[in-house]
Amino acid sequence: MASNGHEQQNYHIGYKEDTLKAFELRNATTCLGYLLPTLESLPPTFTLLDVGCGPGSITFDLARRFPKAKIIGLDLGKEVVERNNANIPTYAPGTGIEFRAGNVLEPESFLSPEERSGYFDVVHEHATLICIPNNIQVLRTMKELARQDGGIVACREGDTHSQILWPPCPESAELQERIYEMNGLDTQTGRKLLAKALEVGFRRDQITASASVLSNITAPERELYAGSMITMLADETSQYRRAASKFGYTEEQVEVLRNNMRRMIAADDGWRLCICTEVICRLGP
């Protein structure tokens, strides 16, 4: 993800390997169905900035689909960026992809002067705004980095407040809400996405809005999602575990949270569903 130094400290999910593996379930097919037709309509050499790219699964997939495009994946985590760059020969050889570490609110930290002045045909983010307090400035910066005569700002945001886990895990939902609130984050970011696009100056006729569902349904998907949660709850240094301690959770209550995730993994009828909202914002007349 990309944010300022204070926000990096509050990135409650973290970059541990099993968490990155869970994020790697995300790709262009599962997450960018709303945007792919637009990308396919662009000249093949388009430029795209992927803000908060994490392990780069979406970014790599885009590079494979559009090998002539110049695609830059941005993340605040230097280790995950180094990991991604090392994986380019394996996951996207012969493409125009690269990864950079930097703060999206400080474009000079990762872009050349030429790239800072309306350079990108597309500036994209997926589930990044929800991880950043006061994220309206991030959306403003994305708009400034897009080409002003026809550039595109594209966002897909989870509305975590809408999340459904089955079998029911009310204790887990309560802790999640408390952690988001503690970090100045908003679990209802998704439903406010269109309002934020209007706030940064896009007209309603410049915005195409849609919605879809982020899901973990199959056994491998449940294993990756719930397994990463179990790992965070077992790790005394993770923000999830430290937050539980700060809120006064006993070891027995933490074990309830872990058992919720184990039950979800084991349940043939288990799944996780989360509403996602999407906007494609076009600059210019």
Side-chain angles (χ1 to χ4, degrees), residues 131-204:
C131 297
I132 303 176
N134 303 317
N135 49 40
I136 195 70
Q137 187 54 44
V138 174
L139 195 53
R140 239 180 231 113
T141 302
M142 292 173 65
K143 183 183 178 188
E144 292 168 0
L145 293 175
R147 192 162 50 82
Q148 299 302 296
D149 58 343
I152 292 167
V153 174
C155 305
R156 184 178 191 242
E157 277 302 322
D159 192 274
T160 308
H161 192 73
S162 74
Q163 180 170 278
I164 296 171
L165 297 181
W166 186 267
C169 304
E171 303 87 356
S172 303
E174 178 188 16
L175 177 59
Q176 179 174 260
E177 287 281 345
R178 296 182 73 177
I179 290 174
Y180 271 72
E181 182 179 0
M182 177 183 72
N183 289 328
L185 307 176
D186 185 359
T187 58
Q188 298 186 28
T189 295
R191 68 191 67 185
K192 299 174 183 177
L193 183 58
L194 181 54
K196 290 177 182 292
L198 293 168
E199 184 177 344
V200 301
F202 287 107
R203 301 188 314 272
R204 185 62 184 87

Side-chain angles (χ1 to χ4, degrees), residues 1 9 12 15 17 22 31-32 38 40 46 49 54 67 94 103 128-130 166-167 188 202 205 209 219 222 263 283:
M1 77 169 269
Q9 179 182 352
H12 57 285
Y15 294 96
E17 191 65 25
C31 298
L32 293 192
T38 298
E40 290 163 356
F46 67 81
L49 177 66
N103 179 353
T128 296
L129 298 181
I130 196 170
W166 186 267
Q188 298 186 28
F202 287 107
D205 65 337
R222 298 196 311 274
R263 193 169 73 251
L283 287 155

Side-chain angles (χ1 to χ4, degrees), residues 62-135:
L62 287 174
R64 290 189 295 268
R65 288 168 179 263
F66 305 101
K68 295 181 180 180
K70 178 176 180 179
I71 297 176
I72 298 173
L74 169 69
D75 202 273
L76 195 63
K78 293 181 179 179
E79 289 184 9
V80 78
V81 166
E82 291 174 359
R83 176 183 186 266
N84 291 346
N85 278 321
N87 281 332
I88 289 175
T90 301
Y91 294 144
T95 67
I97 192 174
E98 63 174 295
F99 294 91
R100 301 181 189 178
N103 179 353
V104 68
L105 296 179
E106 299 170 357
E108 67 278 5
S109 70
F110 65 94
L111 294 177
S112 68
E114 177 194 10
E115 294 168 335
R116 295 200 296 271
S117 56
Y119 174 79
F120 293 95
D121 295 304
V122 182
V123 182
H124 162 263
E125 65 85 22
H126 182 277
T128 296
L129 298 181
I130 196 170
C131 297
I132 303 176
N134 303 317
N135 49 40

